[in-house]
Amino acid sequence: MKPDWDKLMDAYADSKTALVADVDCTAEGKPLCDANGVRGYPTIKWGDPAALEDYKGGRDFDSLKKFADENLKPICSPANIDLCDDEKKSEINKYLAMGESELEELIKGKEKLMEEAEESFKKGVTELQETYQKLMSDKEKTMEDIKNSGLGLMKACKAHAAKKGSDEL
């Protein structure tokens, strides 16, 4: 993916409205990555620098370029409110009119909900894994019990009888 990403950075190097860059999350860029929820590498983020979103598309140059051409442009945001519809303008103005502490509380509340969703997901995955392990163990024991109850001998007798029958012809 790195060569395709480098090619995309070159394609957007002179853009006045879009930035395509990479950040080393293991070194100097770690605080930036932590602040934007980067947990694995490579991670691609896009959008308003204050509210980056996860990119979920293809990782080849053509997919990246198509996405960039369609999406990396000025978008509705507090800095570009003229690009917003009336509903989004109203929402932005409502948040801008709030005090910093009130807005921070709202942000913390939403981030807490996201953390709870992540924890719920992790708990569910753990429970699924435990259920899977139990089902696999139960299945293996049942299969072993069936084999030990004479299945192999039954199959051997059937094959022997079939062979003996064909010998009589």
Side-chain angles (χ1 to χ4, degrees):
M1 186 188 121
K2 178 83 168 119
D4 288 333
W5 187 257
D6 289 344
K7 188 174 173 184
L8 186 68
M9 285 195 307
D10 289 343
Y12 276 84
D14 296 327
S15 174
K16 303 268 189 248
T17 58
L19 171 66
V20 177
D22 55 19
V23 176
D24 183 353
C25 292
T26 63
E28 295 170 16
K30 186 165 178 17
L32 179 63
C33 295
D34 291 346
N36 286 286
V38 174
R39 294 194 253 299
Y41 313 108
T43 296
I44 299 175
K45 298 277 190 171
W46 72 280
D48 185 318
L52 293 174
E53 299 179 43
D54 291 328
Y55 169 76
K56 298 186 185 333
R59 301 292 176 112
D60 60 284
F61 177 76
D62 291 337
S63 298
L64 292 166
K65 179 79 166 84
K66 182 176 188 291
F67 181 86
D69 289 345
E70 293 171 359
N71 294 283
L72 297 187
K73 56 189 174 217
I75 59 172
C76 169
S77 70
N80 294 305
I81 200 163
D82 55 312
L83 299 175
C84 303
D85 60 30
D86 289 342
E87 183 179 334
K88 193 57 80 172
K89 283 179 185 177
S90 175
E91 188 176 6
I92 289 171
N93 286 326
K94 176 179 84 171
Y95 294 137
L96 289 174
M98 290 181 178
E100 185 177 341
S101 62
E102 183 181 6
L103 191 53
E104 182 62 31
E105 283 302 311
L106 283 176
I107 291 168
K108 283 181 181 176
K110 296 296 183 183
E111 288 174 342
K112 186 174 187 320
L113 291 173
M114 290 179 73
E115 289 171 12
E116 289 169 357
E118 182 69 26
E119 285 304 313
S120 175
F121 171 77
K122 286 179 180 178
K123 181 181 177 200
V125 167
T126 299
E127 290 170 356
L128 280 173
Q129 185 65 30
E130 290 168 357
T131 300
Y132 171 82
Q133 292 295 336
K134 179 166 181 358
L135 289 169
M136 181 62 79
S137 176
D138 291 351
K139 179 195 93 166
E140 289 171 355
K141 183 182 181 324
T142 300
M143 301 288 268
E144 189 63 30
D145 289 348
I146 292 168
K147 288 177 187 175
N148 290 338
S149 71
L151 177 62
L153 188 56
M154 290 176 201
K155 287 182 177 182
C157 289
K158 180 182 175 194
H160 179 72
K163 183 177 182 213
K164 187 175 179 186
S166 67
D167 287 347
E168 291 177 2
L169 296 176

